[in-house]
């Protein structure tokens, strides 16, 4: 058992915001003038994720998706260090990492090879991926012909049928039918029982309370609180209902930060 499969130290992510597209060009041509303002999606975020199921909570814009993308190595941090121990798979925004002109089969094969899995092993896993995705003959059709639900099916099948050590899920199960959502939950429960590390974003508090061991609460790119999920969810719900937003965080006691 690994104590901390995911470790982040001083991770920050900055975006340069331009009021007009031409301002970006002006800044390149006029090196001594600044035409942008800075937006920090994450600010000096340090945390050690345990080998358990953890949910990231926070309002829109708090940095949850940015954090998942950095852990997945889809985004590079502006500063800081990320260490992941084991094979990482991710289900991020719809169709992320997939090529629309490739078939589902080709995308599944490419996805596995990008994870460092040998082609022979991936070829042996394709039938399992196709069976789980349940998209029939579309498995050999271009992704551009897929519905959003079919893309989610393929993404989840690819991410969970390659024996991941760390699974990252960004609200992907919100798209698709109820039956397939239940099937995905069973697969995630199976991974959890096998001691895999699962980190995901969800606004479904029923699922969060049932499925998660711990929670991390973020605001404006910073860590606000962390702890057992049943302790953090009421804080999140109180904050979301408060007219003062995260300015009200001083009104309640938060657990010690890791």
């Amino acid at each position: 058992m690994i104590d901390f499969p995911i470790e982040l130290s001083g991770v920050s992510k900055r975006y340069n915001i331009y009021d007009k597209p031409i301002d970006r060009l002006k800044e390149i041509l006029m090196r001594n003038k600044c035409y942008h303002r800075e937006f920090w999606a994450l600010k000096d975020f340090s945390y050690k994720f345990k080998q358990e199921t953890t949910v990231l909570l926070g309002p829109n814009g708090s940095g949850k998706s940015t954090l998942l993308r950095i852990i997945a190595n889809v985004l590079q941090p502006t500063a800081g260090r990320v260490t992941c121990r084991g094979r990482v798979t991710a289900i991020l925004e719809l169709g992320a990492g997939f090529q629309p002109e490739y078939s589902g089969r080709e995308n599944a094969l490419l996805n596995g090879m990008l994870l460092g899995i040998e082609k022979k092993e991936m070829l042996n896993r394709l039938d399992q991926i196709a069976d789980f995705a349940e998209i029939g003959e579309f498995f050999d059709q271009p992704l551009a012909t897929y519905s959003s639900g079919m893309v989610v099916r393929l993404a989840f099948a690819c991410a969970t049928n390659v024996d991941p050590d760390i699974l990252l899920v960004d609200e992907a199960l919100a798209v698709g039918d109820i039956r397939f959502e239940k099937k995905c939950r069973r697969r995630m429960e199976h991974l959890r029982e096998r001691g895999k590390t699962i980190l995901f974003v969800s606004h479904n508090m029923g699922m969060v309370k049932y499925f998660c061991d711990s929670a991390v609460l973020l605001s404006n790119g910073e860590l606000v609180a962390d702890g057992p999920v049943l302790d953090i969810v009421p804080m999140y719900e109180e904050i979301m209902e408060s007219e003062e937003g995260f300015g009200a965080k001083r009104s309640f006691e938060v657990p010690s930060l890791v």
Side-chain angles (χ1 to χ4, degrees), residues 178-233:
I178 294 176
R179 188 187 67 81
F180 189 75
E181 181 178 336
K182 290 180 178 178
K183 183 178 180 180
C184 292
R185 290 187 187 185
R186 289 195 298 270
R187 172 58 61 85
M188 290 174 69
E189 287 172 2
H190 176 65
L191 292 172
R192 182 186 181 193
E193 290 168 0
R194 292 177 57 202
K196 305 298 185 179
T197 301
I198 302 174
L199 181 60
F200 76 108
V201 172
S202 177
H203 296 288
N204 183 336
M205 291 302 102
M207 179 180 177
V208 165
K209 292 176 183 178
Y210 169 77
F211 190 66
C212 295
D213 303 301
S214 61
V216 171
L217 184 60
L218 294 98
S219 167
N220 298 318
E222 298 180 307
L223 179 61
V224 175
D226 72 289
V229 67
L230 294 181
D231 292 343
I232 302 300
V233 166

Side-chain angles (χ1 to χ4, degrees), residues 59-76:
N60 292 334
S62 59
K64 305 183 300 295
S65 295
T66 298
L67 181 57
L68 281 189
R69 291 179 185 132
I70 288 175
I71 295 172
N73 202 30
V74 173
L75 280 179
Q76 293 300 309

Side-chain angles (χ1 to χ4, degrees), residues 45-226:
F45 186 93
S46 296
Y47 200 81
K48 296 180 179 180
F49 288 95
K50 297 179 181 179
Q51 193 170 332
E52 59 185 12
T53 302
T54 304
V55 63
L56 301 179
L57 298 175
N60 292 334
S62 59
K64 305 183 300 295
S65 295
T66 298
L67 181 57
L68 281 189
R69 291 179 185 132
I70 288 175
I71 295 172
N73 202 30
V74 173
L75 280 179
Q76 293 300 309
T78 304
R81 184 178 71 254
V82 180
T83 302
C84 294
R85 300 176 175 90
R87 179 179 291 172
V88 181
T89 62
I91 310 168
L92 303 176
E93 66 269 18
L94 206 58
F98 285 159
Q99 301 299 318
E101 68 273 16
Y102 289 4
S103 69
R105 185 183 302 276
E106 291 167 334
N107 270 295
L109 184 61
L110 178 61
N111 184 262
M113 294 175 69
L114 289 174
L115 291 172
I117 303 173
E118 292 185 1
K119 184 176 181 179
K120 182 178 179 181
E121 180 182 346
M122 277 308 302
L123 288 171
N124 291 333
R125 292 180 182 271
L126 287 179
D127 287 343
Q128 298 174 25
I129 292 172
D131 289 343
F132 191 93
E134 297 181 359
I135 55 178
E137 63 183 16
F138 279 92
F139 193 55
D140 290 301
Q141 298 302 315
L143 206 73
T145 65
Y146 287 24
S147 67
S148 59
M150 292 165 68
V151 175
V152 168
R153 287 170 181 259
L154 179 64
F156 195 93
C158 289
T160 61
N161 279 279
V162 293
D163 195 25
D165 299 299
I166 299 170
L167 175 64
L168 312 173
V169 184
D170 189 358
E171 199 67 79
L173 302 187
V175 182
D177 59 73
I178 294 176
R179 188 187 67 81
F180 189 75
E181 181 178 336
K182 290 180 178 178
K183 183 178 180 180
C184 292
R185 290 187 187 185
R186 289 195 298 270
R187 172 58 61 85
M188 290 174 69
E189 287 172 2
H190 176 65
L191 292 172
R192 182 186 181 193
E193 290 168 0
R194 292 177 57 202
K196 305 298 185 179
T197 301
I198 302 174
L199 181 60
F200 76 108
V201 172
S202 177
H203 296 288
N204 183 336
M205 291 302 102
M207 179 180 177
V208 165
K209 292 176 183 178
Y210 169 77
F211 190 66
C212 295
D213 303 301
S214 61
V216 171
L217 184 60
L218 294 98
S219 167
N220 298 318
E222 298 180 307
L223 179 61
V224 175
D226 72 289

